[in-house]
Amino acid sequence: SFDLVITASEFVNDFSVSGVDVESVDKSAFTSSNGTVFTTTLSYADMDTSHYLMIDANVATDIAGLQNIVSENFMWTYDGTSPTVTITAAEGTSGFISNDEMITLTFITSETSNFGESSIEIIGGNIDSFISVDTTTYEATFLPSGGDGLKTINVSIGAFSDTASNTNNESVVFEWNFDSTSPTISIVESVSGSTDFISSDDSNITLVFTASEYTNDFNISDIIVVGGDVSSFEGDGTVFTCVLTPDCCEEIVEMSVVVNSGAFSDAAT
């Protein structure tokens, strides 16, 4: 609710609240200290909508007996809704993994507000190049710091307000997993556990390959063998196995197995 002041251009003695035409609003009785200024309290339901008010013609009479003409419309909008903000990145959706040197963030508010760089809370990085694209859209660059790991961006409750002074609701936290570390892989003979050299009279041996982090593109073609061949390759994620068999049946066969640099990638490519 709010108090409305109505001012007549000259003294009138028969103006009452019934002469006020107002939409979707309750009005209280007038109070008046003289015949030109009248005050009433307007009350309305807590619904975001526009309202108008006008003074009808012929509802007040001056001392000469002349009746008033219709007033201009007085219009206002009630806004009791807290603004919201969504956070997105050009490089991926929340929770994605990448080794980008920086990512571009977009903040979209639900209505015009005083949202600014100070409204943003971050963990694991810094905001740079914050700009306002229009009255509800903002962009910024996020630079990771503190090494690999989870980086978060969010807007806390009450960080900004709309034009009606409603403070914002808390945003959904945007997450980015920064990974700039290249994956490694170890090769172990399954029985002895040796990682560098074994001597065996077995016709074949089983090798176990363990990646330092998840990969979905390591395969048998990434394994370089000298003096033998690999088969029965299987595995997924971080652990893979295959069978190593010598090329021929000579009494002594020396074999080597290696995975070259750049042969496979992790999830942050």
Side-chain angles (χ1 to χ4, degrees), residues 16-262:
S16 69
V17 72
S18 62
V20 179
D21 183 5
V22 61
E23 178 192 37
S24 304
V25 173
D26 294 328
K27 51 195 176 182
S28 64
F30 276 144
T31 59
S32 176
S33 58
N34 55 50
T36 58
V37 179
F38 305 85
T39 303
T40 184
T41 299
L42 300 182
S43 302
Y44 41 88
D46 291 342
M47 292 176 54
D48 289 3
T49 187
S50 295
H51 303 278
Y52 78 87
L53 178 145
M54 61 181 293
I55 308 300
D56 293 331
N58 306 321
V59 296
T61 307
D62 65 13
I63 58 177
L66 300 174
Q67 292 186 311
N68 70 290
I69 61 175
V70 65
S71 72
E72 294 182 352
N73 280 353
F74 176 81
M75 302 190 69
W76 76 98
T77 299
Y78 174 72
D79 178 5
T81 301
S82 295
T84 60
V85 59
T86 59
I87 307 170
T88 59
E91 292 75 10
T93 58
S94 181
F96 78 106
I97 304 172
S98 78
N99 59 6
D100 296 301
E101 294 182 355
M102 64 185 71
I103 60 175
T104 301
L105 299 173
T106 299
F107 302 83
I108 300 178
T109 59
S110 58
E111 55 185 302
T112 302
S113 67
N114 59 0
F115 181 82
E117 184 175 349
S118 61
S119 306
I120 306 168
E121 290 188 3
I122 55 174
I123 297 176
N126 299 287
I127 289 292
D128 190 29
S129 304
F130 181 88
I131 61 169
S132 173
V133 178
D134 55 39
T135 58
T136 59
T137 306
Y138 308 84
E139 291 183 353
T141 300
F142 181 85
L143 305 171
S145 63
D148 291 357
L150 179 65
K151 316 298 179 182
T152 63
I153 306 99
N154 76 298
V155 178
S156 294
I157 187 171
F160 66 96
S161 58
D162 63 17
T163 55
S165 299
N166 299 304
T167 55
N168 67 288
N169 293 326
E170 186 172 13
S171 72
V172 175
V173 177
F174 187 91
E175 297 182 341
W176 170 38
N177 290 283
F178 175 61
D179 180 5
S180 62
T181 302
S182 296
T184 59
I185 193 164
S186 63
I187 307 172
V188 177
E189 196 276 322
S190 63
V191 176
S192 67
S194 175
T195 60
D196 52 7
F197 176 81
I198 66 166
S199 178
S200 171
D201 60 359
D202 295 317
S203 60
N204 57 62
I205 59 174
T206 298
L207 300 178
V208 179
F209 299 79
T210 303
S212 59
E213 54 187 301
Y214 180 89
T215 175
N216 61 7
D217 62 357
F218 179 64
N219 56 62
I220 195 170
S221 64
D222 298 324
I223 305 170
I224 307 301
V225 181
V226 175
D229 193 18
V230 287
S231 60
S232 303
F233 180 87
E234 59 183 36
D236 184 30
T238 58
V239 179
F240 308 83
T241 61
C242 70
V243 174
L244 175 65
T245 305
D247 275 340
C248 61
C249 299
E250 295 179 5
E251 186 173 343
I252 298 176
V253 177
E254 291 187 0
M255 295 178 289
S256 65
V257 180
V258 68
V259 177
N260 287 333
S261 175

